[in-house]
Amino acid sequence: MPVHVLHASVKKVYGKKPDWWAFNEPALVPCNSRGVVIPAGYETDYASRPSWVPDWLIPKSGLSAMPSAAHDYLCETGIVSRKEADQVFNQLLWEAGVPVWQRLLMYYYVRALGWVRYGK
């Protein structure tokens, strides 16, 4: 039985880029249209952002890590529309307790630039 994505466990992936993680267990992403399961073994770098963006502005880890991993999975697979993936991301950021200013910044960032990774 999959666990909610915000409570899933991950492990460090060695031998690749230094900031990659893999899901230890299947994780459920609650979507408006249906629940989507991220399979165990899915690898993520959490928040994808340019290296020049400071971590305090758009963090690669912390409270936003699992919402970012869920968003990456939804966009890479194209299981749901990009708009729905972005809305789920915003909802998960809220549920994770990301501060409002940061959540809105991250949400509008993916709305503006999310097309780069959608369906890849």
Side-chain angles (χ1 to χ4, degrees):
M1 183 75 179
V3 298
H4 190 284
V5 69
L6 295 182
H7 305 290
S9 66
V10 294
K11 64 183 173 190
K12 182 81 176 97
V13 175
Y14 293 98
K16 292 189 176 190
K17 295 179 183 178
D19 55 353
W20 282 79
W21 299 84
F23 279 75
N24 282 328
E25 58 193 331
L28 179 65
V29 180
C31 293
N32 295 335
S33 60
R34 64 189 177 282
V36 173
V37 176
I38 299 174
Y42 173 73
E43 295 181 359
T44 179
D45 65 347
Y46 295 136
S48 305
R49 60 165 171 81
S51 58
W52 54 266
V53 173
D55 200 50
W56 62 266
L57 191 60
I58 298 179
K60 288 192 68 66
S61 60
L63 295 175
S64 65
M66 297 311 274
S68 296
H71 186 257
D72 283 354
Y73 183 78
L74 294 174
C75 287
E76 288 171 12
T77 60
I79 290 173
V80 299
S81 71
R82 200 183 120 224
K83 182 177 182 181
E84 185 174 356
D86 294 350
Q87 289 171 339
V88 168
F89 178 57
N90 189 37
Q91 179 65 31
L92 289 171
L93 288 170
W94 178 80
E95 289 177 26
V98 173
V100 173
W101 69 269
Q102 200 169 46
R103 176 175 55 85
L104 292 174
L105 176 68
M106 294 177 78
Y107 171 74
Y108 286 112
Y109 177 82
V110 300
R111 284 304 299 149
L113 301 172
W115 60 269
V116 173
R117 290 191 70 169
Y118 186 76
K120 300 219 174 183

